[in-house]
Amino acid sequence: DVKVTQSSRYLVKRTGEKVFLECVQDMDHENMFWYRQDPGLGLRLIYFSYDVKMKEKGDIPEGYSVSREKKERFSLILESASTNQTSMYLCASSLLASGSTNNEQFFGPGTRLTVL
Amino acid sequence: GQNIDQPTEMTATEGAIVQINCTYQTSGFNGLFWYQQHAGEAPTFLSYNVLDGLEEKGRFSSFLSRSKGYSYLLLKELQMKDSASYLCAVRDKNSNYQLIWGAGTKLIIKP
């Protein structure tokens, strides 16, 4: 059974703290993604990675950084958490897109982060 | 620019049929996905369309018209467990083949 796991389901942090969100997948997928999801806005891509040590900015990278030292692990870092980063964070993984093949994304359960 | 539109909320009756529409504008269309997301849970894959026409999978079907920039998800014989949000996403080859997501349609099923 394919699986994407995230380190925490719920997290409460204070403004200014450094926050680490970890994501691990066991499907040997090349692509990994970090999204945030807020009511009425849909999924917004923060960063993605298509290979080890590779990263690409998504639509809203400001205030975030990522690390991919191993193929199965993709970490999201909030260098100095702010209240506007309170959100649901979803990690996903997929195979590389090849032509028009179906490379569906598999999602982790999400981390609900609250920054006070 | 890129844009995906779908209704914010829909209501339907148990046992009935509902159609959720999705319109999109993107320069490099390379496939369309539908996902289901129950409240508090992660999205799960439902269907994928890249060619025009209808893809059927049990009670769920998805249709695509590339010339019209239009897709719909059809749910038949609705069950209470179908109450969820349904997300439309378009893969764009001009954006590193990443998915452009709609805001989702919240479907409420009433007995």
Side-chain angles (χ1 to χ4, degrees), chain B residues 34-71:
Chain B
W34 284 97
Y35 282 77
Q36 181 190 59
Q37 185 177 26
H38 286 100
E41 297 183 11
T44 54
F45 170 77
L46 284 179
S47 70
Y48 171 68
N49 295 69
V50 65
L51 299 176
D52 292 350
L54 191 69
E55 294 282 341
E56 297 186 79
K57 196 186 285 187
R59 294 189 298 114
F60 293 7
S61 304
S62 57
F63 172 83
L64 175 66
S65 168
R66 290 171 295 170
S67 62
K68 295 181 179 178
Y70 168 69
S71 173

Side-chain angles (χ1 to χ4, degrees), chain A residues 34-88:
Chain A
W34 275 106
Y35 294 96
R36 64 177 283 176
Q37 186 174 34
D38 301 288
L41 294 179
L43 288 166
R44 292 184 290 168
L45 183 64
I46 304 170
Y47 269 96
F48 68 97
S49 168
Y50 53 88
D51 200 354
V52 176
K53 297 193 185 296
M54 305 303 290
K55 60 184 180 184
E56 295 284 344
K57 292 180 179 179
D59 299 319
I60 50 165
E62 297 79 19
Y64 303 94
S65 62
V66 290
S67 172
R68 193 160 181 207
E69 296 297 318
K70 294 184 178 181
K71 189 175 185 180
E72 67 270 20
R73 189 179 297 268
F74 193 37
S75 303
L76 180 70
I77 302 139
L78 287 68
E79 294 290 342
S80 177
S82 62
T83 54
N84 63 12
Q85 291 179 310
T86 291
S87 186
M88 169 68 87

Side-chain angles (χ1 to χ4, degrees), chain B:
Chain B
Q2 302 163 331
N3 194 45
I4 300 198
D5 287 315
Q6 46 182 138
T8 303
E9 187 173 297
M10 299 181 70
T11 302
T13 304
E14 190 177 16
I17 299 173
V18 71
Q19 177 175 311
I20 302 173
N21 295 327
C22 172
T23 58
Y24 64 87
Q25 291 176 312
T26 182
S27 58
F29 177 84
N30 189 250
L32 186 143
F33 296 79
W34 284 97
Y35 282 77
Q36 181 190 59
Q37 185 177 26
H38 286 100
E41 297 183 11
T44 54
F45 170 77
L46 284 179
S47 70
Y48 171 68
N49 295 69
V50 65
L51 299 176
D52 292 350
L54 191 69
E55 294 282 341
E56 297 186 79
K57 196 186 285 187
R59 294 189 298 114
F60 293 7
S61 304
S62 57
F63 172 83
L64 175 66
S65 168
R66 290 171 295 170
S67 62
K68 295 181 179 178
Y70 168 69
S71 173
Y72 67 72
L73 182 69
L74 191 72
L75 291 73
K76 302 177 185 175
E77 301 169 18
L78 286 170
Q79 302 175 8
M80 298 303 292
K81 67 178 181 180
D82 297 330
S83 292
S85 288
Y86 292 86
L87 313 180
C88 174
V90 171
R91 187 170 61 199
D92 185 350
K93 64 184 177 184
N94 292 336
S95 297
N96 283 314
Y97 291 88
Q98 297 318 308
L99 296 185
I100 315 298
W101 294 85
T105 298
K106 183 177 181 180
L107 177 63
I108 300 167
I109 309 296
K110 294 186 175 179

Side-chain angles (χ1 to χ4, degrees), chain A:
Chain A
D1 196 21
V2 297
K3 195 172 262 189
V4 180
T5 57
Q6 296 183 227
S7 48
S8 307
R9 290 299 304 270
Y10 299 94
L11 211 51
V12 179
K13 295 292 182 181
R14 297 209 173 272
T15 301
E17 280 193 85
K18 191 168 186 176
V19 182
F20 292 88
L21 302 182
E22 301 281 340
C23 175
V24 178
Q25 51 97 2
D26 66 359
M27 295 164 280
D28 202 34
H29 284 168
E30 294 86 3
N31 287 340
M32 294 190 76
F33 310 85
W34 275 106
Y35 294 96
R36 64 177 283 176
Q37 186 174 34
D38 301 288
L41 294 179
L43 288 166
R44 292 184 290 168
L45 183 64
I46 304 170
Y47 269 96
F48 68 97
S49 168
Y50 53 88
D51 200 354
V52 176
K53 297 193 185 296
M54 305 303 290
K55 60 184 180 184
E56 295 284 344
K57 292 180 179 179
D59 299 319
I60 50 165
E62 297 79 19
Y64 303 94
S65 62
V66 290
S67 172
R68 193 160 181 207
E69 296 297 318
K70 294 184 178 181
K71 189 175 185 180
E72 67 270 20
R73 189 179 297 268
F74 193 37
S75 303
L76 180 70
I77 302 139
L78 287 68
E79 294 290 342
S80 177
S82 62
T83 54
N84 63 12
Q85 291 179 310
T86 291
S87 186
M88 169 68 87
Y89 289 87
L90 288 162
C91 174
S93 72
S94 76
L95 293 169
L96 272 176
S98 174
S100 300
T101 57
N102 174 9
N103 67 332
E104 65 177 279
Q105 293 185 13
F106 294 84
F107 285 84
T111 297
R112 186 164 292 282
L113 173 67
T114 302
V115 183
L116 302 176

